[in-house]
Amino acid sequence: MARQSQQLELVERPTKGIVPGKTFRQRTVAAPTAADLRDGQLLLECLYVSFDPAMRGWLDDRRSYLPPVQIGEVMRAMTICRVLASRSAKARPGDIVTTATMGIREVGIMPEAQVERPTLPALPGVRVTDLLGVFGMTALTAFFGMTRIGQPQPGETVVVSAAAGATGSVAAQIAKIRGARVVATAGSDEKCRWLREELGMDVALNYKDPDFKEKFKAATPKFIDVYFDNVGGEQLDLALGRANMFARFVMCGAISQYNAGTQSGPSRNFNTIISQRIKMQGFIVFDYAKDYRSALTQIAQWLGEGKLKRKETILKGGIAASEEAFRQLFQGGNMGKLMVEVKNPDETARL
Ligand SMILES: NC(=O)c1ccc[n+]([C@@H]2O[C@H](COP(=O)([O-])OP(=O)(O)OC[C@H]3O[C@@H](n4cnc5c(N)ncnc54)[C@H](OP(=O)(O)O)[C@@H]3O)[C@@H](O)[C@H]2O)c1
């Protein structure tokens, strides 16, 4: 029987959060085969799908750094795939590749220009999922945001929000490696324990605690030199109120606002930007694409030396687990990098 392929398609743009059963539909289509390949193309099967807060923004029909996903299109996502058949010199059948454009589908044909054939460092314990995790886009985001924009100096105070997530956990550890005193914030006591006990953060605060504001103030007695912002909203306002003179605010993301409908920025402490001469810089990781290779070499070195630890939350259940993955992302279900396993790679997978 001909192989079938599940895919997740956008049906309706959400006005706030993604609505289960409404925003997307899962559809079964006939899977393409090797006979459909043209020169320069690869037939891929998906192993892992990355779930990223930015995917919520791709559903809005407005100007951004990427065009919106159109109604009826397969949802865009970064994926780890295995090559089933190839008419490209880039990869052979059985190879593991990554692509940012195949989207959430089980089987697809991709042009070679949109497929990366990554090499992973020869370190003990390196696994396929590291391509989305510690050697993936979120780790690179943490690396460039912290080292190029934040530039923490030894002894400075760095605050990282959503610090138990994929980007935040790496950003916070890089600040520690650079000798800073790091205050991490996250949404559960379990996450805070992990940040303190396993990642060695100086302070970890649960932003859902009723006395969070007081604790945040107490944790920043010398004020904040670098704020790595993953959440925006109230925590950003709070950090502005505690900013040191010439603080650097790394504007990485604002997940607290993505489902808000109407977005709100910092309000009460906005003028601190002027009085404390704060530098706020937004960035998109792609800005640093030419330096990815050297960043990955540095990340591999830290991983090998045990200075950097990684964590993944992997949901099973294939494409059907996508809605649960979105729910976890926006309700804090994940620790470290969130992904869905579409197909478990067997031991023949070549890295
Ligand atoms: N600029 C770039 O190029 C770039 C690239 C990648 C990611 N980003 C941004 O980096 C941030 C983190 O992304 P990620 O992929 O690493 O995701 P992540 O941190 O692994 O997962 C998202 C986390 O955000 C927290 N969160 C959700 N809603 C929140 C709210 N209302 N207030 C505070 N925290 C909330 C949750 O943790 P808690 O349990 O702690 O609430 C959740 O686990 C996002 O803002 C994303 O857009 C930017």
Side-chain angles (χ1 to χ4, degrees), residues 52-53 137-138 141 162 165-167 186-187 191 207 230-231 252-256 258 283-285 329-330 332 334 336:
D52 297 272
M137 191 271 294
T138 48
T141 303
T167 308
K191 290 184 179 186
Y207 69 88
N230 286 313
V231 309
C252 176
I255 193 168
S256 74
Y258 296 169
F283 75 106
I284 297 293
V285 63
L329 202 55
F330 288 97
N334 66 304

Side-chain angles (χ1 to χ4, degrees), residues 138-160:
T138 48
L140 288 167
T141 303
F143 181 88
F144 291 112
M146 191 54 85
T147 62
R148 300 286 174 89
I149 302 173
Q151 298 187 24
Q153 303 302 308
E156 283 191 329
T157 298
V158 175
V159 176
V160 180

Side-chain angles (χ1 to χ4, degrees), residues 316-328:
K316 309 261 184 185
I319 305 280
S322 299
E323 284 186 345
E324 172 59 14
F326 281 121
R327 194 192 64 75
Q328 292 212 9

